[in-house]
Structure formats: structure tokens, C-alpha cells
């Protein structure tokens, strides 16, 4: 299917003068192939409304004044008929509405038809984080993209409905649990852009924000190759694992997400809300971290008694990897 012929034909009649602008009060900058058409169509409808509003309200006010009741004025009680007026105020709005419908349909079809030769990225949405996975198993909480390429996202949700929105791309689609939702776009400039969740998904919905980094193709490929490799060890390995395994529930900056933040915990005596041996506190040290990763139910921190939400990582993380996480947690002390 090819919708471009029709769309371009219609575009020549649109308000294309207004496209290709920098960010302004109404819109962020235009960073994808969708942006120009979305903006110029938006302005077309906006001006259409402004012009008709002015004509209709202006006419109303004028006639109210002109035919007001006043001494010596005699109005006619009969309704007049005017064929020219009747036909023009029926035909002109009908043509405008048909134009808006057809142009909108072409725009929708363009966004809904996934093209061939895309770079494919898997998206996982969950309360309250995004995760992007590439064909070489690189994984990132930030969406890295190459400029000028067609990108296809295959999105799924682990829990409730989320919605992925990149305003600079004018691209948005819901992420629905129990199915894969595709979407596509083609970034046209390098830079850092916002990515939001735009479907209310719980009390941290407004924190479900990340960035899109659009890079030149070679830089993107270099990033992707590097991101797929785990660092050898130490806090770098710990951070690499943290981003992939822990971050969606444990912040590293003190904010409360699902579980307690890792910030400033290391070396402290922390309060327990639930423990297998009746203890009320525990030192946040190597043994406690290891136990919490492998057997999260044994000792849950105060305020997180339902530590049962966390699954055991037994068999998923080996001792060297746990050492890396411990090294990383040490870097987060106050
Ligand atoms: Cu996810 Cu709102």
C-alpha cells in the first residue's frame, strides 16, 4: 500500500508555511518525519476554527446591534429565503469537513502502517519504568536510536496499560498488557528528547519518564555493541546489573519506588518490618544484601513488609555478580 501520493497531494493545499519551525509555545521541536504534517494539520484546524469563530460571532453581534428594538424601528416578522446563502453554507462546510477527514485518514494510515526495513526494538513497560531491548540483547532504560532510520517498537506491558509518547516525534501508542503493540517513527535529528507515559498507571505514573537519545548511526552501533557486554566486575558490573535487574523497584537517588531506595543504605543499621528470626534491625552489609537478593522474604525492611513482591534471584545471579552489586551499593552511601 502506498499512501504517500494522496497525502502529498493534499499537503500542497495545507498550511505548509507553518511547518519546520523550532520549538514554540504550542509544540516541541520537530524531530521525526511525522512532525511536519501533524503540526501543519493542527494549525490548519486551529485557523479554520478561529476564522469561522470570528465570522459567526462577528455576524451575530453585528445583527444583534443592527436589528435591535428601538423607537421608530419596525422589523419584519417573516423569515427570508436566499438560495445562494443556503447552498454556500451547506456546501462549503461539507467540503471542509471532507478535506479534514481525508487528510486525517491519510495521516493515521501513514502512522499505522509499519514500513519495511526497520530497526526493531522491544519495549517493556511496567510500573513505573521503561526498558528497551535491542537485537543483540543490549538493554537500556534510555531509548537510544540512530538518526534517519525507520524504527519499529514492539511494545508489551507487565502490568497495566501504559502509553509511550515522544512529543518531539509526534508519536504515541498505548502499551496494553497481554498483547504486543507495534509502532514506528523515523527520527530526523540527533539530540535528547523526552519520553513520557501518557496513560494513568498508578501513583508514580508521573515519574514514568525517560529520555530518547538520537545518535548518528555509527555512534548508535558503537553504543549498542558496548551496551550488550557486561563489565568485568566491580561497581561497573554492579551498576550494569542494577539497571537491568533492580532499578524498576529500587531507586539509587532516595526516591521511594516499589522497594526501598539503595541510596545511603550501605553500612547502616536498618529497621525491619518483618523477619524470619524476630530481629528488629539488621546491618546493611554484604550478608544482608546477599540474603535479600537470594531470599527476599526472610528480612523485609520497615514499610516494605510485603517484601513478597520481590522474586528470588537464586540461580539468576552468581556470587561474582552479587559482589558487583555490593560494590555498586557501597558507592551509594551518604
Ligand atoms: Cu505508565 Cu503511566
Amino acid at each position: 500500500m502506498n499512501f504517500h501520493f494522496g497525502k502529498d497531494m493534499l499537503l500542497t493545499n495545507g498550511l505548509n508555511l507553518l511547518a519546520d519551525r523550532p520549538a514554540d509555545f504550542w509544540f516541541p521541536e520537530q524531530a521525526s518525519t511525522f512532525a511536519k504534517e501533524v503540526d501543519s494539520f493542527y494549525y490548519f484546524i486551529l485557523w479554520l476554527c478561529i476564522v469561522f469563530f470570528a465570522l459567526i460571532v462577528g455576524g451575530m453581534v453585528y445583527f444583534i446591534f443592527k436589528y435591535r428594538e428601538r423607537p421608530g424601528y419596525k422589523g419584519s416578522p417573516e423569515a427570508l429565503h436566499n438560495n445562494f446563502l443556503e447552498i454556500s453554507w451547506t456546501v462549503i462546510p461539507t467540503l471542509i469537513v471532507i478535506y479534514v477527514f481525508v487528510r486525517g485518514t491519510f495521516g493515521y494510515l501513514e502512522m499505522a502502517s509499519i514500513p519495511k526495513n526497520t530497526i526493531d526494538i522491544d519495549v517493556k513497560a511496567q510500573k513505573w519504568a521503561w526498558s528497551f531491548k535491542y537485537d543483540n540483547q543490549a538493554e537500556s532504560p534510555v531509548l537510544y536510536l540512530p538518526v534517519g532510520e525507520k524504527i519499529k517498537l514492539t511494545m508489551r506491558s507487565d502490568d497495566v496499560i501504559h502509553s509511550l509518547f515522544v512529543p518531539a516525534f509526534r508519536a504515541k501508542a498505548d502499551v496494553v498488557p497481554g498483547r504486543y503493540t507495534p509502532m514506528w517513527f523515523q527520527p530526523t535529528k540527533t539530540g535528547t528528547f523526552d519520553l513520557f507515559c501518557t496513560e494513568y498507571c498508578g501513583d508514580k505514573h508521573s515519574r514514568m519518564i525517560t529520555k530518547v537519545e538520537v545518535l548518528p548511526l555509527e555512534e548508535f552501533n558503537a553504543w549498542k555493541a558496548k551496551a550488550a557486554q557486561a563489565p568485568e566486575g566491580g561497581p561497573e558490573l554492579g551498576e550494569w546489573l542494577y539497571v537491568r535487574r533492580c532499578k524498576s523497584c529500587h531507586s539509587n537517588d532516595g526516591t521511594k519506588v516499589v522497594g526501598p531506595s539503595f541510596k545511603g543504605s550501605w553500612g547502616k543499621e536498618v529497621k525491619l518490618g518483618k523477619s524470619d528470626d524476630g530481629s528488629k534491625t539488621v546491618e546493611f552489609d554484604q550478608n544482608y544484601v546477599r540474603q535479600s537478593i537470594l531470599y527476599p522474604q526472610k528480612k523485609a525492611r520497615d514499610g516494605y513488609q510485603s517484601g513478597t513482591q520481590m522474586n528470588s534471584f537464586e540461580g539468576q545471579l552468581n556470587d561474582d555478580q552479587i559482589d558487583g552489586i555490593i560494590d555498586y551499593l557501597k558507592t551509594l552511601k551518604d
Side-chain angles (χ1 to χ4, degrees):
M1 273 191 284
N2 184 357
F3 305 106
H4 296 271
F5 172 68
K7 199 195 87 186
D8 291 341
M9 199 174 67
L10 287 166
L11 255 178
T12 50
N13 301 321
L15 289 177
N16 246 343
L17 300 170
L18 291 156
D20 214 4
R21 303 147 307 101
D24 63 13
F25 175 77
W26 296 107
F27 285 117
E29 60 186 310
Q30 300 179 323
S32 89
T33 51
F34 294 152
K36 260 192 198 183
E37 165 64 0
V38 169
D39 294 9
S40 84
F41 197 20
Y42 170 86
Y43 278 110
F44 174 80
I45 293 174
L46 179 69
W47 281 110
L48 191 70
C49 295
I50 290 172
V51 167
F52 275 92
F53 178 83
L55 283 176
I56 291 166
V57 174
M60 227 165 66
V61 170
Y62 172 72
F63 289 124
I64 285 172
F65 181 77
K66 185 173 177 191
Y67 298 113
R68 72 194 185 281
E69 176 149 355
R70 56 188 186 269
Y73 173 73
K74 263 209 207 109
S76 157
E78 269 145 56
L80 300 170
H81 184 79
N82 185 319
N83 266 334
F84 174 75
L85 269 181
E86 295 276 353
I87 290 168
S88 42
W89 72 42
T90 306
V91 171
I92 293 171
T94 304
L95 290 177
I96 292 173
V97 169
I98 289 172
Y99 171 77
V100 168
F101 173 78
V102 171
R103 190 169 164 190
T105 303
F106 279 118
Y108 170 77
L109 290 174
E110 163 101 18
M111 288 178 177
S113 332
I114 313 274
K116 298 229 176 338
N117 306 319
T118 51
I119 289 180
D120 296 356
I121 300 168
D122 290 335
V123 180
K124 187 177 82 171
Q126 69 183 111
K127 293 195 272 185
W128 287 275
W130 297 100
S131 169
F132 305 99
K133 204 163 165 188
Y134 296 78
D135 55 0
N136 66 349
Q137 299 306 306
E139 213 172 321
S140 165
V142 169
L143 179 57
Y144 284 85
L145 299 174
V147 71
E149 304 289 327
K150 296 185 178 102
I151 311 293
K152 178 187 174 190
L153 302 182
T154 302
M155 309 190 292
R156 71 179 175 89
S157 167
D158 258 10
D159 35 51
V160 297
I161 302 178
H162 302 274
S163 185
L164 186 145
F165 180 35
V166 182
F169 294 169
R170 314 292 190 270
K172 174 158 81 170
D174 278 8
V175 188
V176 182
R179 71 160 73 156
Y180 294 95
T181 310
M183 78 183 284
W184 84 279
F185 44 74
Q186 185 173 7
T188 51
K189 56 167 81 156
T190 55
T192 307
F193 307 101
D194 290 315
L195 187 156
F196 298 111
C197 176
T198 44
E199 182 70 50
Y200 182 72
C201 55
D203 60 350
K204 303 287 189 311
H205 157 71
S206 57
R207 287 194 64 241
M208 198 166 161
I209 295 172
T210 186
K211 295 284 178 198
V212 183
E213 290 284 351
V214 182
L215 304 170
L217 185 61
E218 310 85 74
E219 274 178 51
F220 167 77
N221 285 331
W223 169 83
K224 197 173 80 170
K226 189 154 174 270
Q229 288 165 356
E232 293 274 295
E236 294 78 23
L237 171 64
E239 186 174 14
W240 192 89
L241 289 164
Y242 165 76
V243 166
R244 285 161 178 76
R245 313 306 285 271
C246 323
K247 194 182 173 178
S248 52
C249 298
H250 300 279
S251 81
N252 59 1
D253 61 4
T255 38
K256 191 176 163 177
V257 195
V258 178
S261 177
F262 289 158
K263 170 120 180 101
S265 292
W266 184 264
K268 286 218 180 105
E269 194 80 10
V270 294
K271 260 202 195 162
L272 294 175
K274 197 186 91 179
S275 66
D276 54 337
D277 58 4
S279 49
K280 294 271 176 282
T281 62
V282 68
E283 194 186 340
F284 196 101
D285 62 2
Q286 281 91 344
N287 280 318
Y288 179 55
V289 171
R290 188 186 141 83
Q291 186 186 57
S292 299
I293 292 172
L294 299 179
Y295 316 105
Q297 273 75 355
K298 292 206 166 178
K299 286 188 171 64
R301 284 173 64 173
D302 193 29
Y304 302 93
Q305 277 86 335
S306 62
T308 45
Q309 285 178 26
M310 177 167 159
N311 293 320
S312 167
F313 284 86
E314 201 178 3
Q316 295 187 46
L317 291 173
N318 63 34
D319 285 349
D320 287 340
Q321 292 172 315
I322 292 174
D323 277 351
I325 291 173
I326 288 169
D327 289 341
Y328 176 61
L329 295 186
K330 286 180 188 166
T331 68
L332 299 176
K333 337 192 226 210
D334 282 330

